[in-house]
C-alpha cells in the first residue's frame, strides 16, 4: 500500500509540473501577442504608448507564484528581441517595469490568497511599477529617445500636452510615473475580474 502511494505522488507531481510549464508557455505567448496591441497614453505624444502585456504575467504570478510571473515577463521580452528597434534597450526597460509589477503582486498574494489580499497586491504593485517606470524612463528610455530626438524637442513634445513640463525629470514625475501607476491599476482590475474564472483552466480543476 505504501509503495503504491509513493509511486502515485511523483506521477501527480510530474503532471502538475508539466501543466505549470505548459500554462507558463501559453501565458508567455499571450503576453507577447498583447505587446503588439498598443494604446496611446493620454496627454502624451504619439510615440508614448502602453499595452496590456503584463496582464498574462500577473495571472501567472497569482496562479503559480512570483517566479512564474517573472519567467513570463522574461520570455515575452526575449521574443520581442527578435523584432526590436531599440537594440534591446527598450526590452530591458520593459522587463524591469513588468517584472517589478508581477513579482511584487505575486509575493504579496502568495502569503494569503484572498480577494482582499489580491486587491492589495494589485494596488501596491502598481505603485512599485510606477517607481520602476520612473527610474527606467529617466535612465534608459528617455536617453534612448534622445538619440532620435534632441532633448529640448523631446521635452517640448510632452510640454505641448502638459505646459508645466520643462525638464526630463518633469516628464518622469508628471507622465511616466502616474500613467504607469494607472496602467498597473487597470491591469489589476482586469485580473480581479477574471482570475477566479481562469483558475480552473490554469490549474486543471
Amino acid at each position: 500500500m505504501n509503495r503504491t502511494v509513493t509511486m502515485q505522488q511523483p506521477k501527480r507531481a510530474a503532471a502538475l509540473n508539466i501543466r505549470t510549464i505548459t500554462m507558463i508557455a501559453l501565458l508567455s505567448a499571450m503576453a507577447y501577442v498583447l505587446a503588439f496591441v498598443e494604446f496611446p497614453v493620454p496627454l502624451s505624444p504619439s510615440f508614448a504608448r502602453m499595452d496590456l502585456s503584463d496582464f498574462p504575467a500577473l495571472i501567472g504570478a497569482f496562479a503559480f507564484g512570483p517566479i512564474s510571473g517573472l519567467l513570463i515577463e522574461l520570455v515575452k521580452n526575449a521574443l520581442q528581441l527578435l523584432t526590436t528597434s531599440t537594440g534591446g534597450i527598450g526590452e530591458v526597460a520593459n522587463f524591469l517595469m513588468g517584472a517589478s509589477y508581477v513579482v511584487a503582486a505575486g509575493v504579496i498574494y502568495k502569503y494569503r490568497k484572498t480577494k482582499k489580499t489580491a486587491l492589495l497586491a494589485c494596488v501596491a504593485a502598481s505603485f512599485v511599477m510606477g517607481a520602476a517606470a520612473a527610474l527606467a524612463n529617466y535612465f534608459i528610455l528617455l536617453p534612448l529617445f534622445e538619440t532620435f530626438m534632441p532633448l529640448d524637442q523631446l521635452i517640448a513634445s510632452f510640454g505641448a500636452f502638459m505646459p508645466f513640463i520643462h525638464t526630463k525629470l518633469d516628464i518622469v514625475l508628471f507622465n511616466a510615473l502616474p500613467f504607469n501607476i494607472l496602467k498597473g491599476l487597470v491591469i489589476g482590475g482586469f485580473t480581479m475580474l477574471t482570475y477566479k474564472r481562469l483558475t480552473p483552466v490554469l490549474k486543471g480543476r
Side-chain angles (χ1 to χ4, degrees):
M1 180 66 69
N2 290 338
R3 182 177 299 176
T4 302
V5 172
T6 302
M7 292 176 64
Q8 287 177 342
Q9 286 178 343
K11 289 182 180 179
R12 183 179 179 184
L16 288 174
N17 287 335
I18 292 172
R19 184 173 190 86
T20 299
I21 293 170
T22 302
M23 289 298 104
I24 289 174
L26 178 61
L27 290 168
S28 298
M30 290 175 59
Y32 175 66
V33 172
L34 283 175
F36 291 97
V37 184
E38 297 181 321
F39 307 93
V41 175
L43 300 177
S44 302
S46 59
F47 59 79
R49 305 179 71 83
M50 63 182 288
D51 60 65
L52 301 179
S53 61
D54 296 322
F55 169 63
L58 182 57
I59 291 291
F62 276 5
F64 306 113
I67 299 301
S68 296
L70 181 68
L71 288 174
I72 293 168
E73 289 286 346
L74 181 62
V75 172
K76 176 194 74 173
N77 284 284
L79 291 173
Q80 287 184 307
L81 284 173
L82 299 175
T83 55
T84 184
S85 60
T86 66
I89 297 175
E91 286 70 30
V92 170
N94 186 277
F95 172 73
L96 293 175
M97 290 185 284
S100 68
Y101 179 63
V102 300
V103 170
V107 168
I108 294 172
Y109 184 69
K110 179 180 179 180
Y111 289 101
R112 191 173 185 182
K113 297 184 178 182
T114 65
K115 187 174 182 179
K116 183 177 180 180
T117 304
L119 178 60
L120 173 64
C122 291
V123 173
S126 297
F127 283 89
V128 172
M129 182 165 68
L135 293 172
N137 272 271
Y138 192 84
F139 293 107
I140 301 176
L141 292 179
L142 290 178
L144 173 65
F145 276 116
E146 288 178 44
T147 63
F148 302 99
M149 182 184 300
L151 179 59
D152 291 345
Q153 187 178 346
L154 181 63
I155 293 171
S157 66
F158 282 91
F161 296 90
M162 296 181 176
F164 48 84
I165 289 181
H166 303 293
T167 67
K168 186 165 72 171
L169 182 60
D170 289 341
I171 296 175
V172 170
L173 294 179
F174 300 118
N175 188 278
L177 175 62
F179 285 114
N180 276 279
I181 292 173
L182 177 61
K183 175 184 175 181
L185 293 174
V186 169
I187 292 172
F190 278 121
T191 302
M192 293 295 297
L193 291 173
T194 59
Y195 175 64
K196 287 299 181 184
R197 298 176 185 177
L198 293 174
T199 300
V201 177
L202 293 169
K203 297 192 175 183
R205 293 175 181 173

